[in-house]
Amino acid sequence: MTRKTDTQITWKTFSEGLWANNPVFVMLLGMCPTLAVTNSAINALAMGLATTFVLLASGLLVSLLARYIPKQVRIATYIVIIATFVTMIDYIIQAISLDLYNALGAFIQLIVVNCIILGRAEAYASKHRPAKAVLNALGMGAGFTLALLCLGLVREILGSGSVFGVDLFGPAFQPWVIMTLPPGGFLVLGAWLLLFDWFRLRRQQKETVTGGQSDVA
Amino acid sequence: MSPDSLTFIFLNTVLANNFVLAMFLGLCPFLGVSGRLDTAIPMGIATTFVMLVSSVCAYAINQVLVAFDIEFLRLISYIAIIASAVQLVEMGLKKYSPSLFRSLGIFLPLITTNCAILGVALFQTFRDYDFSQSLVYAFGAGVGFTLAIALMAGLREKLELSQLPSVTQGAALSLMLGGMLSLTFMGFAGLGGGHG
């Protein structure tokens, strides 16, 4: 694809990451932070926003520099670009809230090895105009944040009986502690994937029954 | 046992705070390469080797960074070290075991973006481990990773022969299995005492 042909910015540029190619639920990328920091909704949100920032900034820079970077060293260059922005967000979070910084721990620095970011830089940002790359990164970031929130909310409601630290059920609630511990992360994500697989299978069955008449939205 | 003794660090990283099942590091190969036992174990060994090499180098470079007071470059230099270590393993494997090299495929260069390895380098720095402690920590992390991925591969090989509802065939099943394994490993928690 040449750079000249892709001048059109459509809704799909943004929405692709949100739903159809959701990085967590569909592409199964960036699993480590997805499971590790989603034991409460606020951690999930912070992680999502931090990753979105890095996606956005590195997407923009990679897209701007793509034609000057020699092909042989492109991966190394992308990693250095990403690491720079991660170092920035690391210090930014440390400045905003020390509690949050301690809760997320090393996982802020580990954004560097989040495959979503390198994947987007290589597969999208380096081949498209800056405006498109930014919009796509925004969509992917939003999709990632959404997925993290899905997990964080379920785990916090079941595991601590609260949402964003606000108590829901009162003192009589017996928290399901396992949900905030590591096994809960695996089980909740597994359950979400099961749900999505079930929807997809049902839709496929419907399509074969009606002879593919229904729209594939 | 004092929490700084080498035995404690080793047992703690292999069992109680297993890198994959308790700390969620290195999940991509854990889910991606655990289909067959005879690729899972070499993957574990290769990862352990990269962990050891990068741990030693990370320890050395951290001394330099601290000496010059430029710790903000830590992340970038660690990543560069890991990428070179992976390149080393790749060249070695290609020369001495081409068949293994082919069966690991794309997952070999992807060891670079395996967060378990950067995790080892970062955690050993945060916890101020000395040289021998870092080495034992990296080795323990590697053994723990190999153990987890081998257990997972064994389970998945068994499951290939069983009849499952069509909706569960896919990543969801692997994650559920991971959850069960993680639950089992929580039984070791008494050995270690807390995360961190």
Side-chain angles (χ1 to χ4, degrees), chain A residues 43-201:
Chain A
N43 286 358
L45 187 65
M47 189 66 192
L49 291 180
T51 311
T52 308
F53 167 78
V54 178
L55 256 172
L56 208 73
S58 62
L60 177 65
L61 202 60
V62 165
S63 172
L64 285 172
L65 295 176
R67 67 180 84 180
Y68 306 108
I69 299 173
K71 241 188 157 37
Q72 296 84 354
V73 292
R74 67 182 193 288
I75 300 287
T77 319
Y78 298 161
I79 281 277
V80 171
I81 290 175
I82 294 168
T84 314
F85 287 115
V86 173
T87 310
M88 271 167 66
I89 197 83
D90 186 57
Y91 282 101
I92 291 173
I93 292 180
Q94 208 170 350
I96 294 174
S97 161
L98 212 56
D99 287 337
L100 196 62
Y101 184 77
N102 290 331
L104 294 178
F107 278 94
I108 302 170
Q109 302 210 354
L110 285 173
I111 296 178
V112 168
V113 282
N114 188 328
C115 359
I116 300 171
I117 299 174
L118 189 62
R120 278 291 106 180
E122 163 77 1
Y124 201 93
S126 61
K127 298 190 181 96
H128 291 85
R129 287 187 304 135
K132 267 192 110 169
V134 164
L135 202 61
N136 186 267
L138 208 59
M140 280 288 160
F144 185 65
T145 313
L146 184 77
L148 250 60
L149 269 178
C150 281
L151 276 149
L153 282 173
V154 171
R155 286 179 72 183
E156 196 182 339
I157 290 173
L158 294 178
S160 335
S162 57
V163 172
F164 287 107
V166 181
D167 203 22
L168 278 185
F169 302 115
F173 179 70
Q174 180 75 46
W176 198 359
V177 180
I178 201 78
M179 280 302 152
T180 55
L181 294 174
F186 282 109
L187 295 177
V188 172
L189 182 60
W192 277 108
L193 289 178
L194 214 57
L195 192 71
F196 288 134
D197 278 353
W198 184 63
F199 275 132
R200 197 167 52 226
L201 269 178

Side-chain angles (χ1 to χ4, degrees), chain B residues 30-99:
Chain B
F30 178 66
L31 297 172
V33 202
S34 61
R36 296 194 54 78
L37 204 54
D38 50 4
T39 48
I41 290 176
M43 183 65 190
I45 295 171
T47 309
T48 309
F49 181 74
V50 177
M51 274 177 181
L52 281 172
V53 174
S54 52
S55 163
V56 172
C57 300
Y59 181 81
I61 200 110
N62 192 43
Q63 300 297 317
V64 178
L65 290 180
V66 170
F68 286 98
D69 205 18
I70 43 172
E71 280 114 328
F72 58 89
L73 286 179
R74 188 182 285 149
L75 202 55
I76 294 178
S77 32
Y78 280 8
I79 270 288
I81 289 170
I82 292 168
S84 346
V86 170
Q87 194 69 49
L88 201 73
V89 171
E90 207 179 338
M91 289 191 308
L93 265 184
K94 204 173 183 176
K95 188 162 182 339
Y96 294 109
S97 175
S99 59

Side-chain angles (χ1 to χ4, degrees), chain A residues 18-32:
Chain A
L18 207 58
W19 189 249
N21 267 329
N22 186 294
V24 176
F25 291 137
V26 181
M27 299 200 286
L28 290 180
L29 291 176
M31 289 282 106
C32 305

